[in-house]
Short mmCIF file of all heavy atoms in Angstrom, two decimals:
data_model
loop_
_atom_site.label_atom_id
_atom_site.label_comp_id
_atom_site.label_asym_id
_atom_site.label_seq_id
_atom_site.Cartn_x
_atom_site.Cartn_y
_atom_site.Cartn_z
N GLU A 9 109.74 103.91 119.29
CA GLU A 9 109.20 103.31 120.51
C GLU A 9 107.90 102.58 120.23
O GLU A 9 107.65 101.49 120.78
CB GLU A 9 108.99 104.39 121.58
CG GLU A 9 110.28 104.98 122.12
CD GLU A 9 110.03 106.00 123.22
OE1 GLU A 9 108.85 106.29 123.52
OE2 GLU A 9 111.02 106.52 123.76
N ALA A 10 107.05 103.17 119.40
CA ALA A 10 105.79 102.52 119.05
C ALA A 10 106.05 101.23 118.27
O ALA A 10 105.36 100.22 118.47
CB ALA A 10 104.91 103.47 118.23
N LYS A 11 107.04 101.26 117.38
CA LYS A 11 107.41 100.06 116.64
C LYS A 11 107.82 98.94 117.59
O LYS A 11 107.34 97.80 117.48
CB LYS A 11 108.57 100.36 115.69
CG LYS A 11 108.23 101.15 114.44
CD LYS A 11 109.48 101.46 113.65
CE LYS A 11 109.19 102.18 112.35
NZ LYS A 11 108.61 101.29 111.32
N ALA A 12 108.71 99.26 118.51
CA ALA A 12 109.21 98.25 119.45
C ALA A 12 108.08 97.70 120.32
O ALA A 12 108.01 96.49 120.57
CB ALA A 12 110.30 98.85 120.32
N MET A 13 107.20 98.58 120.77
CA MET A 13 106.08 98.14 121.60
C MET A 13 105.21 97.15 120.85
O MET A 13 104.83 96.09 121.38
CB MET A 13 105.25 99.35 122.02
CG MET A 13 104.00 99.03 122.86
SD MET A 13 102.51 98.62 121.87
CE MET A 13 102.23 100.19 121.02
N LEU A 14 104.89 97.47 119.59
CA LEU A 14 104.00 96.59 118.82
C LEU A 14 104.68 95.27 118.50
O LEU A 14 104.06 94.20 118.64
CB LEU A 14 103.57 97.29 117.53
CG LEU A 14 102.50 96.55 116.73
CD1 LEU A 14 101.20 96.48 117.51
CD2 LEU A 14 102.27 97.22 115.39
N VAL A 15 105.92 95.31 118.07
CA VAL A 15 106.64 94.08 117.73
C VAL A 15 106.71 93.16 118.94
O VAL A 15 106.36 91.97 118.87
CB VAL A 15 108.06 94.40 117.22
CG1 VAL A 15 108.90 93.13 117.14
CG2 VAL A 15 107.99 95.07 115.85
N ASN A 16 107.16 93.70 120.06
CA ASN A 16 107.27 92.87 121.28
C ASN A 16 105.92 92.35 121.73
O ASN A 16 105.79 91.18 122.11
CB ASN A 16 107.93 93.68 122.39
CG ASN A 16 109.38 94.01 122.10
OD1 ASN A 16 110.04 93.29 121.36
ND2 ASN A 16 109.88 95.09 122.67
N GLY A 17 104.92 93.20 121.67
CA GLY A 17 103.59 92.81 122.13
C GLY A 17 102.98 91.70 121.29
O GLY A 17 102.45 90.72 121.82
N VAL A 18 103.05 91.85 119.98
CA VAL A 18 102.46 90.84 119.09
C VAL A 18 103.18 89.50 119.26
O VAL A 18 102.54 88.44 119.38
CB VAL A 18 102.51 91.30 117.62
CG1 VAL A 18 102.16 90.14 116.68
CG2 VAL A 18 101.57 92.47 117.40
N LEU A 19 104.50 89.53 119.28
CA LEU A 19 105.26 88.29 119.38
C LEU A 19 105.06 87.60 120.72
O LEU A 19 105.07 86.37 120.81
CB LEU A 19 106.74 88.56 119.14
CG LEU A 19 107.11 89.04 117.73
CD1 LEU A 19 108.60 89.32 117.64
CD2 LEU A 19 106.68 88.03 116.68
N GLU A 20 104.84 88.37 121.78
CA GLU A 20 104.71 87.80 123.10
C GLU A 20 103.27 87.40 123.45
O GLU A 20 103.05 86.41 124.15
CB GLU A 20 105.21 88.80 124.16
CG GLU A 20 106.72 89.03 124.10
CD GLU A 20 107.16 90.15 125.03
OE1 GLU A 20 106.29 90.71 125.75
OE2 GLU A 20 108.36 90.48 125.03
N GLN A 21 102.29 88.15 122.94
CA GLN A 21 100.92 87.97 123.42
C GLN A 21 99.93 87.46 122.36
O GLN A 21 98.81 87.09 122.71
CB GLN A 21 100.40 89.28 124.02
CG GLN A 21 101.20 89.75 125.23
CD GLN A 21 100.58 90.95 125.91
OE1 GLN A 21 99.35 91.05 126.03
NE2 GLN A 21 101.39 91.89 126.34
N LEU A 22 100.32 87.46 121.10
CA LEU A 22 99.42 86.97 120.04
C LEU A 22 100.12 85.83 119.30
O LEU A 22 100.63 86.01 118.19
CB LEU A 22 99.05 88.11 119.09
CG LEU A 22 98.32 89.31 119.71
CD1 LEU A 22 98.12 90.41 118.69
CD2 LEU A 22 96.99 88.88 120.31
N PRO A 23 100.14 84.66 119.89
CA PRO A 23 100.97 83.55 119.38
C PRO A 23 100.58 83.00 118.03
O PRO A 23 101.38 82.32 117.39
CB PRO A 23 100.81 82.49 120.47
CG PRO A 23 99.52 82.80 121.13
CD PRO A 23 99.40 84.29 121.12
N ASP A 24 99.37 83.28 117.56
CA ASP A 24 98.94 82.76 116.26
C ASP A 24 99.04 83.79 115.15
O ASP A 24 98.64 83.52 114.01
CB ASP A 24 97.50 82.26 116.35
CG ASP A 24 97.35 81.10 117.33
OD1 ASP A 24 98.27 80.26 117.38
OD2 ASP A 24 96.33 81.05 118.04
N CYS A 25 99.56 84.96 115.48
CA CYS A 25 99.56 86.08 114.54
C CYS A 25 100.95 86.29 113.94
O CYS A 25 101.96 86.25 114.64
CB CYS A 25 99.11 87.34 115.28
SG CYS A 25 98.90 88.77 114.21
N TYR A 26 101.00 86.52 112.64
CA TYR A 26 102.24 86.90 111.98
C TYR A 26 102.39 88.42 112.04
O TYR A 26 101.40 89.16 112.05
CB TYR A 26 102.24 86.48 110.51
CG TYR A 26 102.53 85.02 110.29
CD1 TYR A 26 101.53 84.05 110.42
CD2 TYR A 26 103.82 84.59 109.96
CE1 TYR A 26 101.80 82.71 110.22
CE2 TYR A 26 104.09 83.25 109.75
CZ TYR A 26 103.08 82.31 109.89
OH TYR A 26 103.34 80.99 109.69
N LEU A 27 103.64 88.88 112.04
CA LEU A 27 103.94 90.32 112.09
C LEU A 27 104.87 90.67 110.94
O LEU A 27 105.92 90.03 110.75
CB LEU A 27 104.59 90.67 113.42
CG LEU A 27 105.05 92.12 113.58
CD1 LEU A 27 103.86 93.06 113.63
CD2 LEU A 27 105.90 92.27 114.84
N VAL A 28 104.50 91.70 110.18
CA VAL A 28 105.33 92.21 109.09
C VAL A 28 105.64 93.67 109.41
O VAL A 28 104.76 94.53 109.36
CB VAL A 28 104.63 92.09 107.73
CG1 VAL A 28 105.55 92.59 106.62
CG2 VAL A 28 104.22 90.64 107.47
N ALA A 29 106.89 93.95 109.75
CA ALA A 29 107.29 95.29 110.19
C ALA A 29 108.22 95.93 109.17
O ALA A 29 108.66 95.29 108.21
CB ALA A 29 107.97 95.21 111.56
N ALA A 30 108.56 97.21 109.42
CA ALA A 30 109.42 97.95 108.50
C ALA A 30 110.51 98.69 109.26
O ALA A 30 110.29 99.15 110.38
CB ALA A 30 108.60 98.95 107.69
N SER A 31 111.68 98.78 108.64
CA SER A 31 112.78 99.54 109.22
C SER A 31 113.72 100.00 108.13
O SER A 31 114.37 99.19 107.47
CB SER A 31 113.55 98.67 110.23
OG SER A 31 114.66 99.38 110.75
N GLY A 32 113.79 101.32 107.89
CA GLY A 32 114.75 101.88 106.96
C GLY A 32 114.23 102.03 105.55
O GLY A 32 114.16 101.04 104.81
N MET A 33 113.85 103.27 105.19
CA MET A 33 113.41 103.53 103.81
C MET A 33 113.64 104.99 103.45
O MET A 33 113.15 105.47 102.44
CB MET A 33 111.92 103.19 103.65
CG MET A 33 111.01 104.12 104.44
SD MET A 33 109.53 103.34 105.09
CE MET A 33 110.23 102.35 106.42
N ALA A 34 114.38 105.71 104.28
CA ALA A 34 114.57 107.14 104.09
C ALA A 34 115.66 107.44 103.08
O ALA A 34 116.48 106.58 102.74
CB ALA A 34 114.91 107.80 105.43
N GLY A 35 115.67 108.69 102.60
CA GLY A 35 116.77 109.19 101.80
C GLY A 35 116.71 108.84 100.33
O GLY A 35 115.71 108.37 99.81
N MET A 36 117.85 109.07 99.66
CA MET A 36 117.96 108.91 98.21
C MET A 36 118.87 107.75 97.81
O MET A 36 119.37 107.69 96.69
CB MET A 36 118.50 110.21 97.59
CG MET A 36 117.54 111.38 97.69
SD MET A 36 116.05 111.16 96.71
CE MET A 36 116.73 111.20 95.06
N ASP A 37 119.10 106.82 98.72
CA ASP A 37 119.94 105.67 98.40
C ASP A 37 119.27 104.82 97.33
O ASP A 37 118.07 104.95 97.05
CB ASP A 37 120.18 104.85 99.67
CG ASP A 37 121.36 103.89 99.53
OD1 ASP A 37 122.03 103.93 98.48
OD2 ASP A 37 121.61 103.12 100.47
N THR A 38 120.03 103.92 96.74
CA THR A 38 119.48 103.04 95.71
C THR A 38 118.28 102.25 96.24
O THR A 38 118.28 101.80 97.39
CB THR A 38 120.56 102.05 95.23
OG1 THR A 38 119.93 101.08 94.37
CG2 THR A 38 121.21 101.31 96.37
N PRO A 39 117.28 102.07 95.41
CA PRO A 39 116.12 101.27 95.83
C PRO A 39 116.46 99.80 96.05
O PRO A 39 115.70 99.08 96.69
CB PRO A 39 115.12 101.45 94.69
CG PRO A 39 115.96 101.79 93.50
CD PRO A 39 117.10 102.61 94.05
N ASN A 40 117.59 99.37 95.54
CA ASN A 40 117.95 97.95 95.61
C ASN A 40 118.34 97.50 97.01
O ASN A 40 118.55 96.30 97.22
CB ASN A 40 119.09 97.66 94.63
CG ASN A 40 118.69 97.91 93.19
OD1 ASN A 40 117.55 97.65 92.81
ND2 ASN A 40 119.61 98.43 92.40
N THR A 41 118.46 98.43 97.95
CA THR A 41 118.76 98.04 99.32
C THR A 41 117.50 97.69 100.12
O THR A 41 117.61 97.17 101.23
CB THR A 41 119.54 99.15 100.06
OG1 THR A 41 118.75 100.36 100.02
CG2 THR A 41 120.88 99.40 99.41
N ILE A 42 116.34 97.99 99.58
CA ILE A 42 115.09 97.61 100.24
C ILE A 42 114.90 96.11 100.06
O ILE A 42 114.93 95.60 98.93
CB ILE A 42 113.87 98.37 99.66
CG1 ILE A 42 114.07 99.88 99.77
CG2 ILE A 42 112.59 97.93 100.35
CD1 ILE A 42 114.03 100.44 101.15
N LYS A 43 114.71 95.39 101.16
CA LYS A 43 114.60 93.93 101.09
C LYS A 43 113.65 93.43 102.17
O LYS A 43 113.20 94.18 103.03
CB LYS A 43 115.98 93.30 101.27
CG LYS A 43 116.63 93.62 102.62
CD LYS A 43 118.04 93.07 102.69
CE LYS A 43 118.67 93.31 104.07
NZ LYS A 43 118.82 94.73 104.41
N THR A 44 113.37 92.15 102.12
CA THR A 44 112.55 91.48 103.14
C THR A 44 113.38 90.39 103.78
O THR A 44 114.02 89.60 103.08
CB THR A 44 111.29 90.86 102.51
OG1 THR A 44 110.49 91.90 101.95
CG2 THR A 44 110.47 90.12 103.57
N ARG A 45 113.34 90.35 105.12
CA ARG A 45 114.10 89.34 105.85
C ARG A 45 113.20 88.70 106.90
O ARG A 45 112.47 89.39 107.60
CB ARG A 45 115.32 89.98 106.52
CG ARG A 45 116.28 89.00 107.15
CD ARG A 45 117.63 89.66 107.38
NE ARG A 45 117.58 90.76 108.33
CZ ARG A 45 117.85 90.64 109.63
NH1 ARG A 45 118.18 89.45 110.13
NH2 ARG A 45 117.81 91.69 110.43
N ARG A 46 113.26 87.39 106.98
CA ARG A 46 112.50 86.66 108.00
C ARG A 46 113.36 86.59 109.27
O ARG A 46 114.39 85.92 109.29
CB ARG A 46 112.15 85.26 107.52
CG ARG A 46 111.16 84.53 108.43
CD ARG A 46 110.84 83.15 107.87
NE ARG A 46 109.76 82.52 108.59
CZ ARG A 46 109.32 81.29 108.35
NH1 ARG A 46 109.90 80.56 107.40
NH2 ARG A 46 108.31 80.77 109.04
N ILE A 47 112.92 87.29 110.30
CA ILE A 47 113.69 87.38 111.54
C ILE A 47 113.49 86.12 112.38
O ILE A 47 114.43 85.57 112.96
CB ILE A 47 113.28 88.61 112.36
CG1 ILE A 47 113.39 89.89 111.51
CG2 ILE A 47 114.13 88.74 113.63
CD1 ILE A 47 114.78 90.19 111.02
N MET A 48 112.25 85.69 112.48
CA MET A 48 111.90 84.45 113.15
C MET A 48 110.62 83.93 112.52
O MET A 48 110.12 84.54 111.58
CB MET A 48 111.75 84.65 114.67
CG MET A 48 110.75 85.69 115.08
SD MET A 48 110.67 85.96 116.89
CE MET A 48 112.28 86.69 117.19
N LYS A 49 110.11 82.84 113.01
CA LYS A 49 109.00 82.14 112.34
C LYS A 49 107.83 83.06 112.00
O LYS A 49 107.30 83.00 110.88
CB LYS A 49 108.51 80.97 113.20
CG LYS A 49 107.40 80.17 112.53
CD LYS A 49 106.97 79.00 113.40
CE LYS A 49 105.85 78.21 112.72
NZ LYS A 49 105.40 77.06 113.54
N ARG A 50 107.43 83.91 112.92
CA ARG A 50 106.25 84.75 112.70
C ARG A 50 106.58 86.21 112.48
O ARG A 50 105.68 87.04 112.47
CB ARG A 50 105.30 84.63 113.91
CG ARG A 50 104.72 83.25 114.13
CD ARG A 50 103.69 83.25 115.26
NE ARG A 50 104.29 83.52 116.56
CZ ARG A 50 104.03 84.61 117.30
NH1 ARG A 50 103.21 85.54 116.86
NH2 ARG A 50 104.61 84.76 118.48
N PHE A 51 107.85 86.54 112.29
CA PHE A 51 108.26 87.94 112.24
C PHE A 51 109.11 88.22 111.00
O PHE A 51 110.17 87.63 110.82
CB PHE A 51 109.04 88.29 113.52
CG PHE A 51 109.54 89.70 113.59
CD1 PHE A 51 108.90 90.75 112.95
CD2 PHE A 51 110.68 89.99 114.34
CE1 PHE A 51 109.37 92.04 113.03
CE2 PHE A 51 111.17 91.28 114.43
CZ PHE A 51 110.52 92.31 113.77
N TYR A 52 108.62 89.13 110.16
CA TYR A 52 109.32 89.56 108.96
C TYR A 52 109.64 91.06 109.05
O TYR A 52 108.83 91.83 109.58
CB TYR A 52 108.46 89.33 107.72
CG TYR A 52 108.24 87.88 107.37
CD1 TYR A 52 107.38 87.07 108.12
CD2 TYR A 52 108.89 87.31 106.28
CE1 TYR A 52 107.18 85.74 107.79
CE2 TYR A 52 108.69 85.98 105.94
CZ TYR A 52 107.84 85.20 106.70
OH TYR A 52 107.64 83.88 106.38
N LEU A 53 110.78 91.45 108.50
CA LEU A 53 111.19 92.85 108.53
C LEU A 53 111.53 93.30 107.10
O LEU A 53 112.31 92.66 106.41
CB LEU A 53 112.41 93.03 109.43
CG LEU A 53 112.85 94.46 109.72
CD1 LEU A 53 111.76 95.22 110.45
CD2 LEU A 53 114.14 94.47 110.53
N CYS A 54 110.93 94.43 106.70
CA CYS A 54 111.14 94.97 105.36
C CYS A 54 111.81 96.35 105.45
O CYS A 54 111.51 97.13 106.33
CB CYS A 54 109.80 95.11 104.63
SG CYS A 54 108.84 93.59 104.52
#
């Protein structure tokens, strides 16, 4: 919930700010699944 609040807030109310967020890093899966993706112009997800 805190993640969603911050992502939505920054993208909606801070138009000059870039946001770099994270989703998914738990467990013992291969490290090769960790990646970076550009969701939109100012929003990246790792």
Side-chain angles (χ1 to χ4, degrees):
E9 292 183 357
K11 285 176 177 286
M13 178 274 295
L14 188 65
V15 169
N16 293 334
V18 169
L19 294 178
E20 292 172 3
Q21 298 187 39
L22 300 175
D24 297 323
C25 186
Y26 282 82
L27 175 68
V28 181
S31 177
M33 67 214 73
M36 293 294 293
D37 197 4
T38 171
N40 297 324
T41 57
I42 303 291
K43 61 185 183 297
T44 298
R45 188 162 64 95
R46 190 179 189 183
I47 306 298
M48 56 183 67
K49 182 178 179 180
R50 296 185 293 115
F51 179 28
Y52 291 74
L53 188 62
C54 304

